Every structure is written in structure tokens, then in C-alpha cells.
Amino acid sequence: MRRSARSSSRLSVRIRYLGVAAAAIFSIVAAASALDRAGGEDDPVIAAIVPDALAVRSLDTRLTPQLAQTQPRDAERMARMLIERAPIDSTGPAMLGAARLAMGEQPKALEAFTVSAKMGWRELSTQLFWIGQALQLGDIPNAAMRFDVVLRQHSDLLTYAPLIEPWETTPELRAALFEKMRQHPLWLGAYAREGWRTKGEVLQARGQMLVDLGRAGITLGCADVKSMTAALANSGNALLGRNVWALHCPLAGNKLVGDPGFATLADTANADSPFAWTWRGNGDVTYELSKGDKGGASGLLIHNAAPVAMPILRQLLVLKPGIYRASYRLTGGGHQGTSPLQLAIGCDPDNRQPLDGQRPLGNGRWEVDFRIDGQCPAQWLNVILHPTLDATQFGDLAIDEAGPSAK
């Protein structure tokens, strides 16, 4: 039974992907080919008026995946002419194969793509055809090798859902793609950076793939994953986005509050991630990063010259229902007995309602207990600062789960 189930799974993988690959040969190659030709010397307008009897380079320009799909007979005729006049040009055999594929002549298409494959692998339609053939034979490692080659040449295809979705959502293909990623291919950064353009199942699958990579010790850095974390949070996958951020951004750390030392405030390139700190102050509210003993950020010197309390910092948290304790250290600033700083945590990103019950612990430390009731899957932490006489040192911010005895 296990063997039968495995065989059925593999068959469904092949059938699913073959349909995608056949359509992608035209739609994907069309976009890539158009971009490629736009950057070259060929002029489609001039090429169109060159008589067939004199055409060589113009045939190359006129032979497109669109033509192979919409006018396969004309494309087949022109491809034959190009093969005769430029026998070392792989475009002719590739477009001949695409035209035959559009006409449903699979054996003849196989013949043409066999020739184009022997002439090199830069033709995208050739690569996609042989990916489909490899999957039809159940040769997933070979298909993954060719898919890796395609992405090295056309990393923009990482956002084309019909092509990439099977590799991210089908277990056997996903495992093969993950092995390629472990080799740090050149397209890996683009895979993370462009992930925000995907949607639905593909977006979630890509986020999980990034989590798996991070857990395997392959980290990409804050800048590469910042947009992806925002896309995941905005799509209702805040926990997945937080995991991606924590695993790939070394500044984030692995605490319930990300970046407790505020290092991300010094790197504005990270501002697009909701799990990084966002400074919300205006001209009346200022901050300076305080340096720790080892040169890293250890806190903030904050000052509110406005006559009213102002929100100064915001970050998205992912806290499961339960009781928590927030604590921080605040020293200087001319305040006596009460803290000019308060924390607000809730579903509303602009929430200014401070947590009740804030209490001093001595030596500038303060703490407050609060409950998360599960009304929203993620919560916004807002730091609110009342007017201060002088700059105040703020740091050691932490949130921890509290026991039943919490106040």
C-alpha cells in the first residue's frame, strides 16, 4: 500500500507539472524573450518587412513563442528556414519544437527539442520542455537540476506562480528545490526578496521554505527578507513572518520582542518589516542610540519636548493567549517617582491606551503584567513617552510569559 500511494503521489506530481510546463513554454518564454530582444540590436518593425528569402537575423527576431502558439504553421515554416540558414543557432530547433508542441505533435516536438538541447541550454523553452520530460519519467533530481539552470538565467520567473507553485507546494518537488537552495545558488536572494509579489498558497509556502532554510543554518539577512515578512503579516500569517524575520535577521534575536537593543533603528533599510522597530516621533521627540560595552546598541536616549504624551516606537508582536510581563529600564530625564514611559499593546496599530498597573522595581526598572485574549493573531506594541525635562535612557525592554501568580 505504501508503494502504491507513493507511486500515485509521483504520478500526480508529474501530471500537475507537465500541464504547467506546457503552458509556461509560451507564456513565460514570451516575457523573457521580449525583454531579451528589447535589449539587443534587433528591431521587430524592420524585421517584419525583410523578405523571407533574405531573412536570417530577422527570422530570429520574428520567431517568438507567441507566434508558435497562435500561428504554429507559420512558426514551423520560419523555424525550418532559420535552421537551414543558421544551423548553429539554437532558436530554430527550439521554436520548431514549440510550434510542433502547439500543434499536438509530441513526438516531432521531442525530436526538435533534442536537437536544440545539444546546441546549448540557453533557450528557455528547451529547458522547460526537458523539465517536463524529466518529470514524466519520474526523474525529479534531473528536473530540479534543469529548473536551477532556468532560475540562474531568469530569476524573474521566481514570481511566476504557475511555474514556481508546484516546486513549493508539492512535497517531492519542494524537497528537491530545497536541496538546490542548500547550495546557495545565485537566485536565492531574489527568491526571498521577490517573495512578497506572490499570493495565497505560494506566499505561505515560500515563507515556510525560508523558515526551513533558516533552521538549516542558511540565513539571508534582514534586507532580503524584510518585504517578505511584511507580506506574510499583511496576509494573516504574522507568526510565519515573525519566524522568517527572527531566523534570517540577526538583529532581531529570538525573544518575544524583536531587537531589544534597537539596532534596527540604525539601519533604515529594515524599516519595511513590521517586526523591526519603527520610530514614530516628530520634531519634538528625539532619540540617540546608546552604545554598549562591545560597541553594539544597548538602548536609546529619548526626549519628549512636546507638552503632551507622544507615541515614539512601534513593533508587531506575535503573542499567543496568556498572561505576560513586560519590563524595561528607564534612568535620568528628571522624573521623580513615576515613569514618563508607558507601553500599549493591542490589535490596533495606533493604540495609545497604556497597560494598567505599571510598577517600579528599583534601580530604574519597571514592569507591568498584561493578558492576551486572542482577539487578534498579532499585536502592536506602542511605546508612549510623556514630556521629559532631559534626555532619558531607555533599554532592557523584554516581554516574558508570566505564571498564574502574576499581578
Side-chain angles (χ1 to χ4, degrees), residues 56-355:
V56 177
R57 289 295 302 278
S58 61
L59 281 175
D60 190 334
T61 301
R62 291 154 62 188
L63 269 171
T64 64
Q66 299 101 312
L67 182 66
Q69 183 179 32
T70 60
Q71 302 176 55
R73 297 291 179 188
D74 288 344
E76 182 184 38
R77 175 180 57 81
M78 294 169 62
R80 287 183 177 277
M81 292 171 59
L82 182 58
I83 291 170
E84 291 176 0
R85 297 171 191 179
I88 62 173
D89 190 334
S90 61
T91 302
M95 287 299 100
L96 180 62
R100 288 173 171 175
L101 202 63
M103 291 187 286
E105 298 177 353
Q106 182 75 16
K108 291 184 177 180
L110 175 62
E111 188 178 289
F113 279 121
T114 299
V115 174
S116 65
K118 292 178 180 179
M119 302 174 73
W121 291 100
R122 295 192 64 83
E123 281 289 340
L124 182 54
S125 56
T126 301
Q127 284 284 15
L128 292 174
F129 177 83
W130 286 105
I131 289 174
Q133 290 298 112
L135 291 174
Q136 189 173 23
L137 296 172
D139 189 354
I140 292 178
N142 188 33
M145 179 271 291
R146 298 190 188 284
F147 190 57
D148 176 42
V149 171
V150 166
L151 295 181
R152 289 174 187 268
Q153 297 174 358
H154 305 282
S155 61
D156 54 307
L157 298 182
L158 286 164
T159 60
Y160 187 79
L163 180 70
I164 192 69
E165 180 178 2
W167 289 95
E168 294 186 303
T169 60
T170 307
E172 290 176 288
L173 298 186
R174 179 183 176 85
L177 182 62
F178 185 79
E179 288 306 310
K180 291 299 177 185
M181 291 180 175
R182 291 171 66 95
Q183 301 170 21
H184 295 270
L186 295 176
W187 49 265
L188 188 55
Y191 178 83
R193 289 191 302 274
E194 299 301 319
W196 67 273
R197 301 180 187 274
T198 61
K199 297 180 180 179
E201 186 181 8
V202 177
L203 175 65
Q204 185 168 353
R206 187 164 303 192
Q208 187 58 52
M209 186 78 89
L210 290 172
V211 167
D212 293 344
L213 285 170
R215 288 173 176 166
I218 302 170
T219 56
L220 300 175
C222 309
D224 276 349
V225 300
K226 62 178 183 178
S227 297
M228 187 66 178
T229 62
L232 288 167
N234 292 335
S235 69
N237 288 292
L239 178 58
L240 185 57
R242 177 66 178 90
N243 288 340
V244 171
W245 183 246
L247 286 165
H248 288 276
C249 180
L251 299 178
N254 58 2
K255 305 297 184 182
L256 294 180
V257 175
D259 179 24
F262 307 103
T264 50
L265 282 177
D267 185 359
T268 56
N270 296 318
D272 291 341
S273 173
F275 303 102
W277 286 112
T278 300
W279 177 254
R280 305 188 65 200
N282 57 23
D284 292 324
V285 185
T286 59
Y287 79 90
E288 291 182 18
L289 282 170
S290 301
K291 298 297 182 179
D293 295 338
K294 297 182 180 181
S298 64
L300 298 177
L301 279 173
I302 51 179
H303 178 46
N304 180 9
V308 295
M310 299 289 293
I312 61 171
L313 291 164
R314 180 167 65 191
Q315 183 185 129
L316 186 63
L317 308 177
V318 183
L319 304 176
K320 62 185 180 181
I323 301 175
Y324 294 85
R325 176 168 294 158
S327 61
Y328 62 87
R329 185 182 301 278
L330 196 73
T331 56
H335 53 274
Q336 298 292 331
T338 60
S339 172
L341 188 139
Q342 292 176 306
L343 307 177
I345 298 177
C347 301
D348 184 354
D350 295 316
N351 174 38
R352 296 193 185 188
Q353 183 63 42
L355 299 174

Side-chain angles (χ1 to χ4, degrees), residues 17-30 65 124-125 128 160 162-163:
Y17 193 78
L18 282 174
V20 172
I25 285 179
F26 297 109
S27 57
I28 300 175
V29 181
L124 182 54
S125 56
L128 292 174
Y160 187 79
L163 180 70

